Amino acid sequence: MAVPSFRLDDSVALVTGAGSGIGRRLAIGLAEMGADVGCLDLPQSDLASTAEAIGETGRRAVALPADVTRAEALAEAVARVERELGPLRLAVNAAGIANAAPAEDMPVEQWNKVIEVNLNGVFLSCQAEGRALLRNGGGSIVNIASMSGTIANRGLTQAHYNASKAAVTQLTKSLATEWCDRGIRVNSVSPGYTATPMNRRPEVAERVARFEADTPLGRMATVDEMVGPTVFLLSDAASFVTGVDLLVDGGVTCW
Ligand code: NAP
């Protein structure tokens, strides 16, 4: 038997959160592995630069300004990807937000907003993508969760974020089993501390040294280091992998 391919040649993919950080790098990485990519993010984000970088790889990109908390916007985005690029087969859901407040002081609006984007947004994205994949005979979805779904980060008061990410890994397992007999695999990648704009928030800026000390590999990840694990899960090389949460955390959860 031939070694299964890690490539994504001529597949059509949708990536949410593609205007910044991990989502942007993953959208470009999927194109580097041969996919055409629909790039979704909020209207104010810099989708143009992601689309331009994808163009430089020789693949096609469509910029999709949309909010992952709006089901109609996601349905329209999927329809546009399919109109302009072809039948959807792959999806990565990386859109997310983070902030912090002590649990005893956190206003319910702050709790709800993080749950709305990080959990409801991933569910609605999977739903819109899953409907297309079911129509198209299958495919593969990767949700970007976090190691914060497995551990509570030392020194960070972000109960809402941690809870949302734990829920994403359980949502992933649930969808994996619902769609397992219809050709769709659903997995999650859980990054550890990664150098992105999320880690330049004022409340975490001073903590980077602590993040690095808490990481057995001694540093934060680069966004480049999220590409291989995500591509693996999307590709035929992972054809027997579904419902898995792949921790890409430099060993943090070992300590
Ligand atoms: P980022 O640079 O802030 O990228 C997230 C992107 O999602 C931003 O462009 C953001 O737009 C967008 N977004 C926010 N709300 C949205 C919505 N309602 N609809 C559509 N797009 C929306 O952050 P990142 O660090 O790359 O994070 C990407 C994913 O990795 C997130 O799910 C995050 O929780 C996860 N993660 C990150 C780390 C880390 O250390 N960086 C660790 C573990 C997991 P705005 O900038 O306008 O908000």
Side-chain angles (χ1 to χ4, degrees):
M1 183 195 148
V3 176
S5 177
F6 287 76
R7 295 223 26 117
L8 308 174
D9 288 314
D10 301 322
S11 316
V12 173
L14 173 61
V15 178
T16 77
S20 176
I22 293 171
R24 177 180 196 277
R25 183 64 188 92
L26 292 178
I28 298 165
L30 268 53
E32 289 167 334
M33 292 303 279
D36 294 327
V37 188
C39 302
L40 187 148
D41 208 303
L42 289 170
Q44 68 269 21
S45 70
D46 188 11
L47 284 172
S49 85
T50 309
E52 193 182 322
I54 288 173
E56 285 164 11
T57 72
R59 302 305 310 188
R60 294 177 299 159
V62 179
L64 306 160
D67 185 332
V68 294
T69 66
R70 292 192 47 238
E72 333 75 69
L74 287 162
E76 280 166 30
V78 168
R80 204 172 141 217
V81 167
E82 297 212 300
R83 235 177 9 252
E84 298 193 22
L85 300 179
L88 187 70
R89 287 292 196 164
L90 307 175
V92 177
N93 298 313
I97 57 172
N99 50 54
E104 66 273 26
D105 299 329
M106 187 183 292
V108 71
E109 295 76 17
Q110 186 175 357
W111 171 276
N112 285 342
K113 180 69 185 172
V114 165
I115 298 295
E116 188 187 16
V117 176
N118 290 5
L119 175 57
N120 300 3
V122 172
F123 171 68
L124 292 172
S125 299
C126 286
Q127 187 180 52
E129 296 150 2
R131 286 171 177 158
L133 268 47
L134 289 169
R135 269 197 315 274
N136 297 335
S140 180
I141 298 175
V142 171
N143 294 321
I144 305 302
S146 171
M147 68 174 177
S148 305
T150 298
I151 51 121
N153 310 59
R154 200 194 313 240
L156 293 186
T157 53
Q158 50 176 30
H160 53 349
Y161 181 86
N162 297 350
S164 75
K165 293 300 185 175
V168 166
T169 58
Q170 182 61 3
L171 168 67
T172 298
K173 291 180 206 293
S174 305
L175 296 178
T177 57
E178 278 201 43
W179 293 337
C180 61
D181 55 355
R182 286 177 286 169
I184 302 179
R185 294 183 299 103
V186 190
N187 293 287
S188 55
V189 163
S190 278
Y193 297 114
T194 308
T196 72
M198 198 172 261
N199 280 322
R200 291 198 281 272
R201 288 175 293 138
E203 64 267 39
V204 297
E206 291 168 10
R207 297 185 189 270
V208 167
R210 180 63 172 274
F211 292 166
E212 292 173 345
D214 277 345
T215 303
L217 290 186
R219 59 177 176 81
M220 294 208 288
T222 66
V223 289
D224 297 334
E225 290 173 305
M226 298 301 143
V227 176
T230 305
V231 166
F232 161 65
L233 289 173
L234 289 174
S235 75
D236 288 345
S239 56
F240 203 58
V241 183
T242 197
V244 155
D245 180 45
L246 179 50
L247 283 152
V248 187
D249 67 352
V252 172
T253 49
C254 300
W255 268 346

